[in-house]
Amino acid sequence: AVDAEGDVLVEGHHVGRLDGFKFVADRAEGELAGRTVSNAAFRALGNEIARRAIELIAAPDLDFALTDAAAIRWKGVAIARLRAGPAPLRPKIELIGGELCEGVTRERIEARLATFVTNEIAFTLPTLVRAASAEVSGHVRGLVYQVSEALGSIPRSPVEALVARLQKADYSALRRNGIWVGRHDIYMPDLVKPKSARLAALLWAVHRGHREIPTLPQAGLTSFAPTAPMPDGFLRAAGYRQLGSRAVRLDIVERLEIGRAHVLTPVTATSRMPSS
């Protein structure tokens, strides 16, 4: 049997608990739990799993939460995690404890969670979602594609030749898609906002297979000193770029006084850094 708290009992003996859709055996009773739950008790758990699946599938989006560790929580328990999908904005869903869910039940649970994630992305990153599916042509297409794939920003210098060919109408098309061509970076100002930046950085890490997601600083900082190395792409998706020992928000980088040479260096940036 499974009680209201998720404790699993076999013939009145406590053998573990059911967290979401994952059975966690008691350490002290691991051998007993492994033997009994894998046999007759699985049938009892199956009934509870079916009940929970029906409840989850009918649950509204507000009942779920996406954590900074790329986990989806339901009723305070991590029940699934994001994994790399076909595109940065289309991650896959991996159910935690899926051995207790098979066939159609598992597919329906993962489909419901995928809908939640899609809605969360559309709500938090609307500019990026629109740009990723925008119909543009010419030189603009390449820039929109690169910025979208990088989840918000790319350095300007590698695409300077492409920028040089942009016409006035091209700049207008980029702005309609939420993209700003700065002196140092091509980026989406909307994605610099804390909530958008955190989700974009999370999706970048998931798409590139990072199991351990780097920890971002407190929201709202214009610059910070990373305590551990962070991938450049992750920082950029979060709305920052590395300058010397500090990561500086992209919109702040554009405001720095860099002299007539228009060359941005760590020394120049650090000496004129706004307060974090």
Side-chain angles (χ1 to χ4, degrees):
V2 183
D3 65 17
E5 285 71 41
D7 292 319
V8 180
L9 308 174
V10 176
E11 296 182 352
H13 191 80
H14 189 278
V15 295
R17 62 178 291 106
L18 192 60
D19 284 341
F21 297 93
K22 179 181 180 181
F23 174 74
V24 181
D26 286 343
R27 290 185 179 182
E29 303 292 347
E31 184 178 352
L32 173 63
R35 185 172 65 253
T36 56
V37 172
S38 64
N39 294 300
F42 257 32
R43 289 193 294 273
L45 289 177
N47 294 333
E48 176 63 15
I49 289 294
R51 186 196 69 77
R52 293 187 180 194
I54 292 172
E55 183 180 0
L56 180 147
I57 292 167
D61 282 354
L62 290 176
D63 284 2
F64 305 110
L66 180 60
T67 74
D68 288 345
I72 302 174
R73 297 180 70 84
W74 180 56
K75 293 190 172 183
V77 176
I79 58 171
R81 60 177 64 89
L82 301 188
R83 290 290 183 243
L89 296 178
R90 294 168 56 198
K92 291 182 179 179
I93 307 299
E94 180 182 275
L95 195 62
I96 298 173
E99 66 276 2
L100 296 177
C101 295
E102 298 180 351
V104 176
T105 298
R106 178 171 184 149
E107 291 175 2
R108 292 182 67 196
I109 291 172
E110 292 181 344
R112 174 65 188 93
L113 297 177
T115 298
F116 157 70
V117 173
T118 298
N119 292 342
E120 185 75 5
I121 292 172
F123 178 78
T124 308
L125 303 171
T127 304
L128 187 57
V129 171
R130 286 195 301 269
S133 59
E135 294 185 3
V136 291
S137 59
H139 306 313
V140 175
R141 179 187 302 169
L143 288 177
V144 171
Y145 175 79
Q146 291 187 54
V147 172
S148 299
E149 284 293 297
L151 291 167
S153 79
I154 58 173
R156 174 169 171 161
S157 55
V159 294
E160 189 61 55
L162 186 58
V163 173
R165 294 195 291 270
L166 294 177
Q167 304 297 315
K168 183 177 180 179
D170 296 328
Y171 281 99
S172 297
L174 287 170
R175 285 194 294 273
R176 284 196 300 271
N177 284 283
I179 297 174
W180 177 261
V181 179
R183 294 176 295 175
H184 313 294
D185 300 285
I186 302 173
Y187 68 104
M188 293 181 167
D190 284 353
L191 266 64
V192 173
K193 299 173 183 177
K195 188 174 181 180
S196 299
R198 297 190 88 83
L199 180 55
L202 174 65
L203 293 174
W204 184 94
V206 167
H207 188 65
R208 283 153 183 81
H210 289 265
R211 294 291 178 125
E212 295 294 328
I213 310 298
T215 302
L216 286 172
Q218 175 185 345
L221 294 181
T222 58
S223 72
F224 68 97
T227 57
M230 290 186 178
D232 181 68
F234 178 80
L235 271 178
R236 285 188 159 278
Y240 293 86
R241 69 176 293 172
Q242 190 79 37
L243 290 177
S245 61
R246 299 189 70 81
V248 187
R249 211 170 65 194
L250 295 175
D251 58 328
I252 300 300
V253 171
E254 290 299 318
R255 302 176 196 173
L256 294 175
E257 293 292 335
I258 57 176
R260 288 178 296 177
H262 294 287
V263 176
L264 182 65
T265 68
V267 173
T268 303
T270 302
S271 66
R272 300 183 182 275
M273 189 69 63
S275 171
S276 60

